[in-house]
Amino acid sequence: MDLKESINVNNIPAHVAIIMDGNGRWAKQHGEDRIFGHHEGVNSVREIVEACGEIGVKYLTLYAFSTENWNRPKDEVDALMELLVSTISLETPNLHKKGVKLAVIGDIHSLPPTCQKELQESIDLTAGNSKVTLILALSYSSKWEITEAVKKIGRDVEEGKIKSSAINSRLIQENLNTKKFPDPELMIRTSGEHRISNFLLWQLAYAEFYFTDVLWPDFRKDEFFKAIISYQNRERRFGKTSEQLRSN
Ligand code: FPP
């Protein structure tokens, strides 16, 4: 049977977050350079955004460039930035047609100006869409994001805008880059690595994790549907017991 048909339409995660890993290894396996792997990875991005629209996932966050990725060889960083600019420019009309809204999290001001401009144009054009919100994590790390939130709250306390006794998890959440989005219910990492790599540490507190050996350029719709089906077979207890869940 078609994998998509096995999906329970009444239990679709509203928000899926993905660590797209394995582009470099995929390229090596195909006798190509790392950049070729990143280019091929864009095809997976396109398919997964489409798949979200097809099954009703409302938010998709992709870890496209981490704070730590700035430490890669300059050639690779430059190529990734160029790829980002060309992809956003080429894909935006199609995203817009399909009702996708683009959003970005991370230290955006550290990106090259051309990249910031391209992103802003796409964000502005797609602002009214609501079918799927595609959130690109760029120059993002969770420790950076949480540190920025703590600094902002500290300033508000210093300036007398809030009392320190008013600090609670909701206030912290409201000061994160992701304040407008629900927390992901499902986090996927490709390429066989079992790490969280400074990604959405706060927001993934209760997420289900799905790890697959498939490398990102090979992670297409059916692989995504397998992850959704795996999610649907989990029991999400949020600290409660199975018996409590059954009696509710
Ligand atoms: C990880 O693979 C991948 C990245 C650091 C970049 C991801 C970027 C893309 C898929 C293309 C651009 C994306 C968008 C949204 C336009 P890796 O290089 O760490 O692979 P490896 O672990 O095999 O070396």
Side-chain angles (χ1 to χ4, degrees), residues 20-25 34 38 64 69 72 84 87 136 216:
M20 310 180 284
D21 200 4
N23 294 349
R25 276 163 286 167
R34 298 179 53 81
H38 296 313
N69 286 152
R72 290 196 173 196
L84 195 65
T87 304
L136 297 182
W216 177 252

Side-chain angles (χ1 to χ4, degrees), residues 6-243:
S6 322
I7 292 174
N8 173 1
V9 291
N10 298 312
N11 184 19
I12 301 290
H15 188 169
V16 177
I18 307 184
I19 301 180
M20 310 180 284
D21 200 4
N23 294 349
R25 276 163 286 167
W26 186 93
K28 199 169 175 195
Q29 283 175 10
H30 290 77
E32 301 280 355
D33 64 14
R34 298 179 53 81
I35 313 302
F36 186 79
H38 296 313
H39 276 264
E40 206 50 40
V42 172
N43 295 329
S44 296
V45 170
R46 193 182 304 111
E47 276 209 19
I48 303 313
V49 175
E50 245 176 57
C52 286
E54 285 172 23
I55 64 169
V57 171
K58 300 300 284 180
Y59 298 87
L60 173 69
T61 298
L62 299 177
Y63 206 5
F65 194 86
S66 73
T67 308
E68 291 77 15
N69 286 152
W70 289 114
N71 299 322
R72 290 196 173 196
K74 185 176 179 312
D75 283 0
E76 183 170 347
V77 171
D78 290 349
L80 271 168
M81 290 300 143
E82 272 171 36
L83 179 61
L84 195 65
V85 172
S86 61
T87 304
I88 300 297
S89 160
L90 278 171
E91 299 288 335
T92 292
N94 195 30
L95 291 175
H96 189 41
K97 206 163 74 194
K98 295 214 161 105
V100 177
K101 173 179 176 156
L102 185 74
V104 176
I105 56 171
D107 187 7
I108 302 313
H109 300 294
S110 66
L111 298 172
T114 45
C115 199
Q116 292 185 44
K117 183 171 166 282
E118 206 61 62
L119 285 165
Q120 197 53 54
E121 282 174 11
S122 180
I123 290 168
D124 292 344
L125 179 74
T126 61
N129 296 339
S130 59
K131 192 169 169 67
V132 180
T133 300
L134 169 62
I135 305 153
L136 297 182
L138 290 167
S139 192
Y140 174 87
S141 82
S142 205
K143 287 191 177 182
W144 167 83
E145 178 189 35
I146 293 170
T147 306
E148 289 302 304
V150 171
K151 278 196 220 162
K152 166 79 171 58
I153 294 168
R155 279 197 300 274
D156 286 352
V157 171
E158 259 172 24
E159 291 166 13
K161 290 185 188 153
I162 52 165
K163 292 200 165 126
S164 62
S165 58
I167 299 172
N168 55 21
S169 75
R170 189 175 162 174
L171 185 77
I172 295 171
Q173 191 270 335
E174 283 167 357
N175 280 280
L176 296 174
N177 279 201
T178 51
K179 63 180 174 225
K180 292 192 203 134
F181 317 124
D183 286 346
E185 293 97 329
L186 172 64
M187 196 287 289
I188 300 170
R189 183 169 190 154
T190 58
S191 90
E193 308 290 351
H194 295 191
R195 284 189 297 279
I196 195 163
S197 298
N198 218 343
F199 185 48
L200 302 175
L201 300 178
W202 177 278
Q203 298 87 340
L204 294 176
Y206 279 101
E208 296 295 326
F209 286 9
Y210 178 86
F211 297 105
T212 170
D213 288 341
V214 174
L215 304 176
W216 177 252
D218 289 330
F219 191 86
R220 299 298 169 96
K221 281 188 190 176
D222 272 356
E223 295 298 333
F224 184 69
F225 295 148
K226 277 187 210 165
I228 299 291
I229 292 163
S230 166
Y231 164 84
Q232 294 187 331
N233 288 321
R234 315 269 177 102
E235 180 183 66
R236 306 192 72 214
R237 292 199 292 274
F238 301 99
K240 294 184 178 172
T241 65
S242 296
E243 290 69 28

